[in-house]
Amino acid sequence: MIDYRKFRLRKLNTPEFRHLKLLLFWPVFLLIFKFLEAYYWVREYHPVESELDALIPFNEYFVLPYMFWHLFEPGILLWLLLHDRCAFSKMMRFIMVTYGITLLIYCIYPTCQNLRPETFANDNILTRWVALIYRVDTNTNVCPSIHVIGSLAAVFASFNTFSIRSRTVKIVIVAIGILICASTVFMKQHSIIDVMWGTLLSVAAYPIFRWVPSGERASVTS
């Protein structure tokens, strides 16, 4: 476990702590994403929909794994931050590349989806939660799905770190990742097309996890 009690700002460029600079990506990403959602002028959003989407029923229970994503991806990152700085760095690089490409796609080819139900068959706490998400989160900038990319980043990282050795834990992480990806279409937050492109982008970027910078090999084999 990395002892961050030794951290001082003057040590930020040392091999022991320079990986922390990667965290600066998050405020930059959030600011750009907020700008695209609220202020970026778009002449026309391109609807994303597949015939398969009509065959996938809305199910409010999938709001649970959908929201768990907000703990899942940061939770894996935090674990790696504490236990395996090399795997943390690779996961952050993966996210920086894939999220960066995604933001660029949102700029060049703005997308939207019109799959959300106008009314819910059931009135319960879960459908009210879904309604709240619909109000807070726009139906624009959907392809590829960041939920899918972030989930796969966590799954890939779990298979490329010495700090998670249990096969059972890895199976659980994969199951959670699959549930989160599925939740995006069952909640009608995304089209199956968004999931497909998010998966393809993630698979294309997967070699980032297989590349180990020479200066970090020691932390992998330790």
Side-chain angles (χ1 to χ4, degrees), residues 3-28:
D3 188 0
Y4 286 101
R5 292 175 298 179
K6 299 178 181 178
F7 174 73
R8 301 293 184 273
L9 193 59
R10 66 178 182 275
K11 295 183 177 182
L12 191 58
N13 291 318
T14 63
E16 187 178 7
F17 296 113
R18 63 189 175 196
H19 60 283
L20 294 175
K21 292 188 291 185
L22 296 172
L23 292 172
L24 294 174
F25 167 78
W26 288 111
V28 174

Side-chain angles (χ1 to χ4, degrees), residues 197-210:
W197 282 110
T199 302
L200 289 175
L201 177 56
S202 299
V203 170
Y206 179 74
I208 293 173
F209 281 105
R210 309 306 301 169

Side-chain angles (χ1 to χ4, degrees), residues 12-48:
L12 191 58
N13 291 318
T14 63
E16 187 178 7
F17 296 113
R18 63 189 175 196
H19 60 283
L20 294 175
K21 292 188 291 185
L22 296 172
L23 292 172
L24 294 174
F25 167 78
W26 288 111
V28 174
F29 165 76
L30 291 173
L31 284 172
I32 295 175
F33 184 78
K34 178 63 177 178
F35 170 77
L36 293 177
E37 285 284 280
Y39 304 107
Y40 185 63
W41 182 78
V42 175
R43 176 177 297 178
E44 179 185 6
Y45 284 100
H46 304 274
V48 179

Side-chain angles (χ1 to χ4, degrees), residues 111-132:
T111 53
C112 69
Q113 57 90 356
N114 301 306
L115 302 170
R116 295 175 174 181
E118 295 183 2
T119 59
F120 301 113
N122 303 315
D123 180 17
N124 53 48
I125 189 171
L126 296 180
T127 53
R128 293 171 192 168
W129 200 356
V130 173
L132 176 60

